[in-house]
């Protein structure tokens, strides 16, 4: 008890440890899981990076666009500048040509070939050549000394620009020839205008065309520049100095460029004039740019401008053209949209990833939680089974005490009443233990821990046993209880006898509980036989049941075992007969032939349990197999029980690979039918195990002949089945008369095939016949003079009163009465009594005790236990069975003693010991053994050991703990089994038989 | 007369045993122990029980010294002792002592010193009681054996 408690404590602890381990190892630290706290930060970072990236993209695209814009601007600007320059230079060239014309025709010719009229006409006609010039005029150089003469010659005075007579100067440059468009400047002194004067001076010094800075032109309000060419009187030397030039100057040809309108004109010819703004500046004075064209204050795109140089041929003057876009650069929607879309997509991608990560984290969390819960549930399950085991153990222990004391009590001298009470108490206690076992079974099945054994067993003897269990009850109720096993069912089958017995017990127990009259009939046959049976049923129905052999005296009676109606007609004689006869014919036909199907490994049996009880109410029929359900609550009041039996039965049947079903009619009865798979038994193993597992039926009846007198064919078949098992030949007779006549006939023909040794008469049949008649027959018989052997008369009865018994004895059934239900062994015992065949039997307990003694006798056994008292007790118990016992007080000592070679046959090992526990010790012993075995095998020399095989000392654990897990652990570390402590005889026997062969 | 005495002694013994069972002092394991006693080992029970007493006294002594220790902390060792005590008690069927041991061990597992002391007192008390009763039982048995021993030879002769 103490040990066990600690063990369970330990187990609990280990469960907890396991939980920790599992959670520890299974918590897979994935990357996402590990960085779960960082996830939002990752998302934020991602968004920021993406925002940055998209901005960058935007900027890049925008810059590209700007560059392109700039290129466009520059190309446009250059184009304009070039055009302007070209046009300008064309005009300048023409003016140059004009200057040469004047010098040629005005000065070289004498008299002058050009006068105002000619000049005007010529210039007017060649004006198309100078589109940029509004007009040209020629001014002559006049020094002051020549002024008077000049004025006289031309007939007008030299005027200043302000149209006043010119004041006195060194020099004058009055216009003498002019184009019509500028005729208003004739006679004006060009030297009087500041710009013109400067221009004139520069022109004659350089000899090239020079330009003025822009100014408002006379006569128009446009900005313009004046182009001035010097005209020389004589041909100049090749490299003239400035003085020479001034000396040679005859006059100046000038033209006004109306730059504004000209540029306007020019730009108008070009495409895209609206797109850009053009300004032309005179930048001779770098600090003060003079505008030649365009507005100074414009609202164009100030950010971007392009400057192209203009060269109008005057090295002194510098001009430039500045272009800019009319409109500010439009926001680049493409770039903006691209960047924005990129950002949005990235945002979505980021969010999706984030969502996925969050989901993964959540799922993993859930998974871990579930895993934890699962582990806990499993732990709870283990705890539950431990609890069940513990509780059942706890209940069993005091129950064992009660039962032990009751057994003790029964050994004392008791009055019969006291004995009865004590026996009742004992029976109740046993029932309680059975119930506890049942509950435990249920729990085990639920946990899937129930394992089916496969051992050979005798089905028939188990059925007999079960029936004998209920015989008392059924006899008291007057219910007939019978079993029939088809001949085709193998004698030994492989399966779990305990579980099979449990199923049958449950079903029969139920039937007995709910049946007050009629019969309970257990029938076993091969499942493959059902089909012909069904066919047969149809056939007999067609035949109309014309059966000569069986007289039906009572029309009310059904052809069942007891004559009561059964729920399932298939069990009636109509089909049953067919089964029997089918078997018989088969049996006859195949006596020397292997029965088909025998070769197959498994055999499916169909077992039906038929009763004529109260039946199951229709509403309750579908929940019959649910645990703790009874038909209704009144059932448990009336009949008791927990309602767990059928559900266990169902589970067991399913574990045996079959299924269970039932037919039930209220107030008529129920028939439960189930199938189960069993293995066929090998003939060889069959003989070995037969002894231990089945009660031996005496063979002394072989060949005896019997007549069964019974009107009810089913019952007769059952009786015949039992007789057959004893090896007897049985005939069925419908009535005493027939039997008697059969005997008589045979008697007269003396020594023919049937000379019955026994006549078995059913009680109710006998009661219905006048006793006189029967006795007369008997007397007849005796007088017929069969002196050598009279058949013994046996009465078969379910229950019999004393009066009837007397009557029976008087009527000639001196021999015996066989009480139903019949069992082969019981029938055998009765017949032994009748026939006087002796057979001494031993009591079961002695047999076992004896065999335990025979198993252990002379064996040398090592008991290892640290507890001296326990050691002594174990040693005492083993010594009692004749074993030589040696003790060791610790695992180490045991190891020393078990050094190979040693002479121990077995070792009983306590599990809980200080220093080295039983598991550890066993492990070491096994290690030692395997080393020794290896050496032995390696050496190949049998060193004279008597053992034929390898070293393997059977080690049995001694434990107070009955939990399955402990057993598993025992096996795991190499133990062969375990016995509970303190020793119980049966337990010890079971454990020891496994490896001690007698 | 002597035969009668033997019978009376047997009845006394049974009564005493019944009392012990009734009080839950012993359980069926003691009966098993008695069953192990036969001609080959006539004093088996008393032998085992004496070993038990011997061991138990040692255990009780060490338990007490462990508990009396001022800075006492070795609950583990106490648990081992208690396990041994429990094992041997259940082997001879000293049910009540075993139950006290269970309680004792529970207290020791909770490091409940007061509980341990209480349990120890109880254990010592139960132990004394059992010892007395068993001594009584053995005395009766000895007398009975003596009485029977006197009687049987007479019968045989």
């Amino acid at each position: 008890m103490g040990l066990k408690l600690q063990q369970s404590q330990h187990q609990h602890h280990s469960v907890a440890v396991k939980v920790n381990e599992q959670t520890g190892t299974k918590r897979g630290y994935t990357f996402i899981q590990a960085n779960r706290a960082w996830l939002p930060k990752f998302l934020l970072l991602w968004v920021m990076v993406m925002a940055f990236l998209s901005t960058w993209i935007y900027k890049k695209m925008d810059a590209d666009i700007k560059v392109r814009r700039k290129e466009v601007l520059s190309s446009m600007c250059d184009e304009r500048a070039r055009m302007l320059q070209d046009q300008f230079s064309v005009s300048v060239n023409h003016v140059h040509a004009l200057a040469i014309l004047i010098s040629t025709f005005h000065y070289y010719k004498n008299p002058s070939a050009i006068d105002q009229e000619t000049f005007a006409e010529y210039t007017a006609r060649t004006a198309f050549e100078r589109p940029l010039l509004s007009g040209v005029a020629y001014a002559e150089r006049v020094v002051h000394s020549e002024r008077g003469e000049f004025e006289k010659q031309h007939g007008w005075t030299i005027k200043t620009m302000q149209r006043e007579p010119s004041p006195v100067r060194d020099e004058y440059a009055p216009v003498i020839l002019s184009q019509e468009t500028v005729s208003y400047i004739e006679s004006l002194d060009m030297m009087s205008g500041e710009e013109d004067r400067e221009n004139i001076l520069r022109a004659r010094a350089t000899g090239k065309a020079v330009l003025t800075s822009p100014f408002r032109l006379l006569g128009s309000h446009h900005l313009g520049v004046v182009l001035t060419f010097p005209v020389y009187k004589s041909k100049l030397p090749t490299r003239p100095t400035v003085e020479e030039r001034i000396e040679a100057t005859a006059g100046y040809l000038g033209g006004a460029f109306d730059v504004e309108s000209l540029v306007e004109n020019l730009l108008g010819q070009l495409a895209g004039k609206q797109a850009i703004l053009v300004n032309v500046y005179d930048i001779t004075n770098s600090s003060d740019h003079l505008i030649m064209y365009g507005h100074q204050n414009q609202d164009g795109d100030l950010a971007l401008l392009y400057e192209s140089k203009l060269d109008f041929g005057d090295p002194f003057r510098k001009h430039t053209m500045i272009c800019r876009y009319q409109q500010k650069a439009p926001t680049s929607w493409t770039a903006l949209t691209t960047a924005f879309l990129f950002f949005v997509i990235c945002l979505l991608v980021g969010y999706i990833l984030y969502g996925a990560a969050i989901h993964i984290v959540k799922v993993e969390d859930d998974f871990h939680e579930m895993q934890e819960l699962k582990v806990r549930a499993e732990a709870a399950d283990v705890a539950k089974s431990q609890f069940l085991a513990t509780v059942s153990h706890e209940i069993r222990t005091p129950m064992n005490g009660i039962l032990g004391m009751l057994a003790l009590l029964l050994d004392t001298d008791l009055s019969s009443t006291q004995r009865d009470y004590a026996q009742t108490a004992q029976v109740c206690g046993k029932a309680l233990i059975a119930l506890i076992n049942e509950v435990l079974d249920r729990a085990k099945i639920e946990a899937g821990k129930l394992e089916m054994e496969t051992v050979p067993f005798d089905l028939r003897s188990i059925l007999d046993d079960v029936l004998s269990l209920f015989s008392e009850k059924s006899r008291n109720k007057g219910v007939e209880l019978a079993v029939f096993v088809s001949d085709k069912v193998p004698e030994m089958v492989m399966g779990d006898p305990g579980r099979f017995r449990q199923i049958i017990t449950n079903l029969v127990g139920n039937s007995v509980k709910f049946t007050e009259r009629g019969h309970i009939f257990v029938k076993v046959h091969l499942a493959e036989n059902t089909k012909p049976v069904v066919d047969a049923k149809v056939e007999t129905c067609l035949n109309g049941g014309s059966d000569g052999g069986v007289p039906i005296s009572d029309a009310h009676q059904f052809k069942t075992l007891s004559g009561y109606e059964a729920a399932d007609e298939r069990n009636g004689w109509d089909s049953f007969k067919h089964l029997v006869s089918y078997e018989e014919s088969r049996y006859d036909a195949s006596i020397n032939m292997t029965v088909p199907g025998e070769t197959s490994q498994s055999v499916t049996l169909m077992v039906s349990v038929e009763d004529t009880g109260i039946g199951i109410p229709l509403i309750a029929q579908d929940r019959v197999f649910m645990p703790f359900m009874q038909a209704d609550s009144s059932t448990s009041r009336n009949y008791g029980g927990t309602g767990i039996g059928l559900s266990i039965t169902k589970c067991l049947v399913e574990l045996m690979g079959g299924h269970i079903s039932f037919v039930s009619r209220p107030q008529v009865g129920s028939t439960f039918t189930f199938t189960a798979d069993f293995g066929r038994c090998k003939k060889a193993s069959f003989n070995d195990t037969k002894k231990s597992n089945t009660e031996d039926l005496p063979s002394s009846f072989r060949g005896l002949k019997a007549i069964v007198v019974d009107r009810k064919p089913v019952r007769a078949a059952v009786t015949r089945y039992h007789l057959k098992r004893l090896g007897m030949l049985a005939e069925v007779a419908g009535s005493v008369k027939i039997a008697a006549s059969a005997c008589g006939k045979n008697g007269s023909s003396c020594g023919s095939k049937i000379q019955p040794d026994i006549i078995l008469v059913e009680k109710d049949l006998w009661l219905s016949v006048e006793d006189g008649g029967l006795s007369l027959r008997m007397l007849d018989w005796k007088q017929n003079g069969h002196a050598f052997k009279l058949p013994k008369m046996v009465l078969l009865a379910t229950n019999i009163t004393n009066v009837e018994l007397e009557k029976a004895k008087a009527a000639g059934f001196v021999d015996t009465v066989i009480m139903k239900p019949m069992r082969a062994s019981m029938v055998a015992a009765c017949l032994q009594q009748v026939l006087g065949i002796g057979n001494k039997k031993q009591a079961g307990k002695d047999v076992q005790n004896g065999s335990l003694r025979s198993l252990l006798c002379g064996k040398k056994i090592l008991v290892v236990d640290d507890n001296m008292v326990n050691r002594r007790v174990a040693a005492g118990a083993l010594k009692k069975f004749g074993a030589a016992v040696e003790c060791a007080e610790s695992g180490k000592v045991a190891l020393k003693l078990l050094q190979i070679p040693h002479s121990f046959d077995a070792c009983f090992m306590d599990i809980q010991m200080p220093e080295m526990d039983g598991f550890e010790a066993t492990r070491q012993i096994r290690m030692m053994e395997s080393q020794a075995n290896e050496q032995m095998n390696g050496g190949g020399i049998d060193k004279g050991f008597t053992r034929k095989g390898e070293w393997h000392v059977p080690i049995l654990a001694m434990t107070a703990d009955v939990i399955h897990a402990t057993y598993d652990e025992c096996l795991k570390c190499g133990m062969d089994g375990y016995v509970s402590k303190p020793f119980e005889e049966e337990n010890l026997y079971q454990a020891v038989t496994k490896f001690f062969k007698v | 007369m002597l035969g009668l005495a033997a019978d009376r002694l047997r009845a006394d013994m049974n009564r005493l045993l019944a009392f012990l069972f009734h009080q839950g002092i012993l359980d069926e394991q003691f009966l098993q122990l008695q069953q192990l006693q036969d001609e080959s080992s006539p004093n088996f029970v008393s032998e085992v029980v004496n070993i038990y007493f011997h061991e138990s006294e040692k255990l009780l002594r060490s338990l007490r010294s462990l508990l009396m220790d001022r800075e006492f902390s070795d609950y583990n060792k106490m648990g081992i002792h208690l396990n041994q005590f429990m094992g041997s008690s259940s082997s001879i069927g000293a049910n009540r002592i075993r139950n006290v041991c269970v309680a004792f061990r529970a207290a020791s597992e909770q490091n409940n010193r007061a509980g341990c002391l209480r349990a120890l007192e109880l254990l010592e008390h139960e132990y004394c009681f059992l010892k007395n009763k068993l001594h009584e039982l053995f005395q009766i048995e000895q007398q009975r054996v003596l009485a029977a021993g006197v009687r049987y030879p007479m019968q045989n002769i």
Side-chain angles (χ1 to χ4, degrees), chain A residues 801-821:
Chain A
T801 57
N802 283 339
V803 185
E804 281 171 338
L805 192 65
E806 289 308 315
K807 223 161 108 189
K809 277 192 175 153
F813 292 102
V814 278
D815 306 318
T816 195
V817 175
I818 295 182
M819 296 297 285
K820 299 235 189 126

Side-chain angles (χ1 to χ4, degrees), chain A residues 2 6 866-867 870 872 982, chain B residues 29 47 83-84 86 88 91:
Chain A
Q6 208 198 25
D866 64 311
N867 194 317
N870 288 352
R872 190 73 191 81
Chain B
Q29 184 56 33
E47 189 187 331
N83 259 343
Q84 279 226 343
M86 235 182 303
S88 50
S91 261

